[in-house]
Amino acid sequence: MPKTLSRRTVLRGAGVSLALPLLDVMSSSRLLSAAEATARPPLRMAFFYVPNGMHMPDWTPQKAGYKYDLPPTLERIADFQDDINVLSGLTLDGARAHGDGGGDHARSVAAFLTGAHPRKTNGADIQNGISVDQATAKYVGDQSRFASLELGLEASAQAGNCDSGYSCAYASNMSWRGPTNPMAKEIDPGAVFDRLFAGKSVKATKQAKTKRELFRKSVLDFALEDAKRLHQALPAVDRRKLDEYLYAVRDVEKRLGGAERLRFDESGVPDYPRPSGVPRELDKHSDLMMDMVTLAFQTDSTRILSFMFTNAGSNRSYKEIGVSEGHHELSHHGKSEHKQTQIATINRYHLDRFAYLLGRLRNVREGSRTLLENSMIVYGSGISDGDRHNHDDLPILLAGSAAGRIKTGRHLKYDNGTPLCNLYVWMMQQMGADAKQFGDSNGVIKL
């Protein structure tokens, strides 16, 4: 069996490059470089955005500290209470009007990771700030295959008027490489899968994909010989880890293949064309994308990721959970009991999708911890109450213990008005970035 194995080892085949999860023989390797050793296991950061705020009475715990009672919405993640912290009192000043009038939805997304106040325009002269994920990627992005990944469930737009004179670039992008450079998100799980398991060259990757589709082969079929050789040489614990990982890859690939088939009615005629590789059912789409997040982190393909459930001000209905009215319209509830109930139902649905990811991450072991424990994941919105359009006391969760740096299982109440960017400074520092200030921060949050 191998006494040493580099963290960068991959299984290769024709047009396929299959990165490996963290194995014990990697952790014990004496041949690792200093950079690899300090990144063992690597720390990940991620940001998940939901639109239109929350029904806050069903979100905010009454008690601070440990063993707080879960309000109705957070009951959906009761199984993960010990893995998260609820953060209250954080504020996004850049999302406020500051004399610019309407446009809170667009500003709430544009400012969520930048802390900046975006210029009000629906033309080409957009102006925002660099986002925390991209600022951190400048320091540590070269340590993984992809400096960052930008994902979501609804496509980005780079032009148009989306919210009271604000460009659609603000409303549909939360990751910004620079003040005028929004990072479009990928919404097709198949496309993400292809990126994660691409070969050495574009030509080889395309050829392998064509063969897989023609002969219905898996990416694993192309790297099978390499996988068998490695499997035979590994100790028992690592063989089990490798088996679990390869099973997960094949399972995701099968589900992607199933999603790509057309549905047929009784006459054998397709009842709808499948759009751009994206599953029609939102829960299936979301779960596949969460699988991509898990694989991206598990294989150390990236350590930095952002994810938008939908774009700002989304008026999508959720008929799959009995909500036929539009999300945005419901968020302007005017204290209607019916509308607030519907909003809470949508909030719980989004949290269910997030809980699926938490479960996937917690099931992956990395050394003495789990993949979830080796992460720090922000979940929330840049609006608190959708009816008030307020940007203080935001609904924010922080999942994962950042490899033991955070004590989890608490409700932390900060003074209302504490900049959300104070949290981002702390996160950047944990990732190894030399950051003392970011956005509108006025200090570093205490966790």
Side-chain angles (χ1 to χ4, degrees), residues 249-405:
V249 172
R250 190 179 289 276
D251 178 63
V252 169
E253 196 173 19
K254 285 181 179 178
R255 287 161 52 220
L256 282 171
E260 288 174 355
R261 297 190 190 98
L262 297 177
R263 285 186 176 180
F264 292 82
D265 61 22
E266 292 180 357
S267 66
V269 178
D271 63 3
Y272 70 90
R274 190 175 176 285
S276 305
V278 176
R280 184 181 187 181
E281 300 86 351
L282 185 61
D283 54 351
K284 291 183 179 179
H285 185 192
S286 176
D287 290 355
L288 279 171
M289 292 299 285
M290 297 308 177
D291 290 336
M292 297 303 111
V293 173
T294 304
L295 290 174
F297 280 165
Q298 187 177 4
T299 58
D300 200 25
S301 295
T302 192
R303 299 175 185 177
I304 301 171
L305 185 144
S306 62
F307 191 103
M308 288 181 66
F309 279 84
T310 63
N311 295 337
S314 169
N315 202 37
R316 185 192 192 283
S317 62
Y318 290 80
K319 295 180 181 179
E320 53 268 81
I321 54 173
V323 179
S324 58
E325 298 161 88
H327 188 186
H328 179 228
E329 292 175 5
L330 287 168
S331 71
H332 293 271
H333 53 75
K335 298 186 178 179
S336 161
E337 184 175 342
H338 164 74
K339 290 185 177 181
Q340 290 182 82
T341 298
Q342 297 290 77
I343 281 290
T345 299
I346 295 173
N347 297 161
R348 290 192 289 271
Y349 177 78
H350 286 152
L351 211 52
D352 284 342
R353 309 273 63 79
F354 185 61
Y356 174 83
L357 171 67
L358 298 183
R360 296 278 279 124
L361 296 177
R362 195 168 66 179
N363 285 337
V364 177
R365 297 295 308 180
E366 285 192 325
S368 60
R369 296 189 174 94
T370 67
L371 186 50
L372 175 57
E373 290 173 309
N374 289 327
S375 303
M376 44 185 178
I377 305 172
V378 174
Y379 174 97
S381 183
I383 292 177
S384 181
D385 180 351
D387 196 48
R388 294 173 54 208
H389 279 179
N390 61 309
H391 307 285
D392 64 317
D393 195 19
L394 295 173
I396 301 293
L397 300 179
L398 181 61
S401 67
R405 297 170 176 85

Side-chain angles (χ1 to χ4, degrees), residues 134-178:
Q134 297 305 308
T136 308
K138 289 186 175 182
Y139 287 94
V140 301
D142 61 348
Q143 296 177 12
S144 53
R145 291 175 60 207
F146 305 109
S148 64
L149 286 178
E150 296 73 45
L151 307 177
L153 303 180
E154 189 174 352
S156 293
Q158 307 304 340
N161 183 357
C162 273
D163 186 9
S164 303
Y166 278 96
S167 170
C168 296
Y170 296 129
S172 62
N173 299 285
M174 66 189 247
S175 180
W176 290 70
R177 192 180 40 169

Side-chain angles (χ1 to χ4, degrees), residues 95-110:
R96 289 169 168 157
H98 293 295
D100 283 342
D104 289 275
H105 290 281
R107 287 193 300 261
S108 73
V109 172

Side-chain angles (χ1 to χ4, degrees), residues 419-436:
L420 176 62
C421 286
N422 286 8
L423 169 63
Y424 295 162
V425 175
W426 185 89
M427 294 176 71
M428 292 178 72
Q429 291 175 352
Q430 309 317 304
M431 293 293 291
D434 182 18
K436 298 179 176 61

